[in-house]
């Protein structure tokens, strides 16, 4: 406890353990089983105080695979035997954090939970990120209905790991603003041919709701190539750009929605609705309609795909203006449809298309 903060210095599973049986003048006999698990099943933290909750590193999965030391000191241990079993080796695990006051949750370390989930809920305050914040998870849920998530000076940072089938999932709710960087990643064994490789499943952004502005940056999909340093024996990770997709279901913002996508297409499946401007920039293949119910509804709509296209002839991006204008710029085709309202056009620019 320091300066009105509860400091969670580090929750790290290093699998360091020992069992000591010490009966130097007696007899030890029988058979027992040691349950050796490489991960915790879950981490649950609830803060009912008015103090801020500050996290450094959280790592439920053990980084080493050694078995516990068994030490027996006995006059006679000839009748003793034991064995090791693992109950939850490498199983997905959950980190759940609940703050029940107007204080803040701050992440300022590495939440290393590949394949698992992180759910952080603050009923009265903000969910913030320090300069060292980073999540590595498969599922991320952030809820701060009376506060903001991240800040303009310190975005929250998430590496969203695909689970090889359903991809990764992200949702967020904030009464104020959202500031989040998220990148689709996958752990890959060294030596894998990554030529033309696409991370399966993509990042599925199921729901984002903010009372203020939404500021979401989606990074270049990346393979985290795992190898072992031959000199030190330590695990080494080499980030390598690959292909992937981002899928947005619903987004509702009371203010502007600023969505920037790097090096990958984004598919819009549901309704993106803002009380201000909808600004979407994609530097990958472009901005696409993922479903018939897709709609971008805002006062002003600004779409940019400098290396790709916006919609297709058979699946245009559907828009609904609530008072302003629409502008769109793409390297290839621009395909828009306004089925519900008249459209005031700002600038439409198609460098090499129609």
């Amino acid at each position: 406890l320091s300066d009105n903060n509860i400091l969670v210095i580090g929750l790290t599973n290093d699998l360091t353990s020992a069992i000591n049986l010490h009966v130097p003048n007696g007899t030890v006999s029988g058979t027992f089983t040691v349950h050796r698990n490489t991960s915790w099943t879950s981490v649950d933290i609830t803060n009912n105080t008015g103090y801020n909750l500050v996290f450094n590193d959280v790592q439920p999965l053990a980084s080493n695979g050694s078995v516990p030391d068994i030490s027996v000191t006995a006059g006679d241990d000839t009748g003793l035997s034991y064995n090791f079993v693992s109950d939850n080796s490498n199983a997905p695990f959950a980190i759940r954090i609940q703050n029940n006051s107007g204080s803040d949750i701050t992440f300022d370390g590495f939440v290393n939970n590949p394949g698992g989930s992180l759910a952080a809920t603050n009923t009265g305050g903000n969910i913030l990120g320090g300069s060292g914040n980073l999540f590595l998870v498969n599922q991320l849920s952030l809820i701060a209905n009376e506060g903001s998530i991240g800040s303009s000076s310190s975005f929250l940072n998430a590496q969203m790991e695909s689970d090889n089938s359903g991809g990764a999932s992200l949702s967020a709710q904030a009464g104020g603003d959202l500031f989040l960087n998220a990148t689709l990643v996958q752990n890959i064994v060294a030596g894998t041919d990554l030529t033309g490789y696409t991370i399966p499943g993509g990042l599925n952004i199921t729901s984002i709701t903010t009372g203020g502005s939404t500021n979401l940056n989606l990074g270049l999909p990346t393979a985290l190539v795992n190898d072992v340093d031959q000199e030190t024996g330590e695990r080494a990770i080499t980030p390598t750009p690959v292909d992937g997709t981002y899928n947005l279901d619903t987004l509702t913002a009371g203010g502007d929605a600023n969505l920037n996508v790097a090096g990958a297409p984004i598919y819009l499946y549901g309704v993106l609705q803002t009380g201000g401007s909808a600004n979407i920039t994609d530097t990958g293949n472009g901005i696409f309609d993922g479903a018939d119910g897709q709609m971008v509804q805002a006062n002003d709509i600004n779409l940019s795909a400098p290396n790709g296209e916006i919609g297709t002839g058979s699946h245009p991006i559907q828009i609904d203006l609530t008072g302003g204008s629409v502008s769109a710029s793409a390297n290839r085709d621009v395909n828009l449809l306004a089925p519900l309202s008249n459209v005031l056009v700002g600038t439409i620019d198609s460098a090499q298309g129609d």
Side-chain angles (χ1 to χ4, degrees):
L1 185 64
S2 174
D3 296 329
N4 293 322
N5 297 319
I6 297 174
L7 304 179
V8 184
I9 301 299
L11 294 173
T12 302
N13 182 1
D14 61 9
L15 208 64
T16 300
S17 57
I19 297 174
N20 298 302
L21 302 176
H22 187 72
V23 283
N25 298 317
T27 299
V28 178
S29 63
T31 300
F32 67 90
T33 298
V34 178
H35 293 258
R36 171 186 171 270
N37 296 319
T38 57
S39 70
W40 304 324
T41 55
S42 64
V43 174
D44 292 273
I45 297 176
T46 301
N47 179 25
N48 291 319
T49 76
Y51 295 108
N52 299 313
L53 196 56
V54 181
F55 288 88
N56 292 121
D57 296 339
V58 181
Q59 181 171 300
L61 180 65
S63 59
N64 65 71
S66 61
V67 299
D69 291 330
I70 307 292
S71 175
V72 179
T73 303
D76 182 3
D77 63 0
T78 56
L80 177 67
S81 64
Y82 52 85
N83 60 79
F84 297 94
V85 298
S86 295
D87 303 314
N88 65 340
S89 179
N90 296 323
F93 25 84
I95 300 173
R96 293 179 287 262
I97 299 168
Q98 177 85 26
N99 196 73
N100 294 324
S101 71
S103 59
D104 296 333
I105 300 173
T106 299
F107 293 96
D108 196 17
F110 185 21
V111 178
N112 186 13
N113 192 15
S117 64
L118 170 62
T121 300
N122 196 342
T123 61
N126 305 302
I127 300 176
L128 303 174
S131 59
N133 85 86
L134 177 63
F135 310 137
L136 174 58
V137 294
N138 171 251
Q139 300 172 44
L140 179 62
S141 171
L142 302 171
I143 300 175
N145 286 331
E146 300 297 325
S148 292
I149 298 174
S151 67
S152 58
S153 60
S154 186
F155 278 56
L156 287 175
N157 301 299
Q159 290 182 328
M160 302 300 304
E161 185 191 30
S162 170
D163 65 2
N164 297 322
S165 57
S169 65
L170 164 66
S171 65
Q173 294 175 227
D177 301 323
L178 170 70
F179 299 90
L180 176 64
N181 299 320
T183 299
L184 175 65
V185 302
Q186 185 180 22
N187 278 293
I188 298 290
V189 177
T192 303
D193 184 6
L194 296 177
T195 304
Y197 185 80
T198 299
I199 297 177
L203 173 55
N204 302 304
I205 305 165
T206 57
S207 176
I208 292 181
T209 303
T210 63
S213 66
T214 293
N215 303 278
L216 179 61
N217 299 319
L218 302 174
L220 182 65
T222 301
L224 304 178
V225 181
N226 289 254
D227 202 353
V228 176
D229 190 294
Q230 298 302 313
E231 294 184 1
T232 65
E234 296 293 325
R235 180 187 180 199
I237 297 178
T238 303
T240 304
V242 291
D243 293 332
T245 60
Y246 290 104
N247 307 306
L248 176 62
D249 193 354
T250 61
L251 188 156
T252 302
D256 293 343
N258 302 304
L259 182 58
N260 298 294
V261 187
I266 184 165
Y267 289 84
L268 307 179
Y269 283 85
V271 177
L272 189 161
Q273 183 178 38
T274 82
S277 298
N279 307 303
I280 306 176
T281 298
D282 185 289
T283 62
N285 292 339
I287 305 166
F288 297 98
D289 169 25
D292 291 340
Q294 173 272 319
M295 179 67 68
V296 178
Q297 184 180 66
N299 186 64
D300 292 294
I301 298 174
N302 301 294
L303 307 176
S304 176
N307 300 312
E309 58 190 314
I310 298 174
T312 64
S314 59
H315 291 90
I317 298 297
Q318 298 189 83
I319 61 172
D320 180 22
L321 289 173
T322 58
S325 63
V326 58
S327 294
S329 174
N331 184 53
R332 299 195 295 274
D333 293 349
V334 174
N335 294 277
L336 303 176
L337 174 64
L340 302 178
S341 63
N342 295 324
V343 173
L344 176 62
V345 176
T347 301
I348 304 292
D349 181 17
S350 176
Q352 300 184 43
D354 298 323

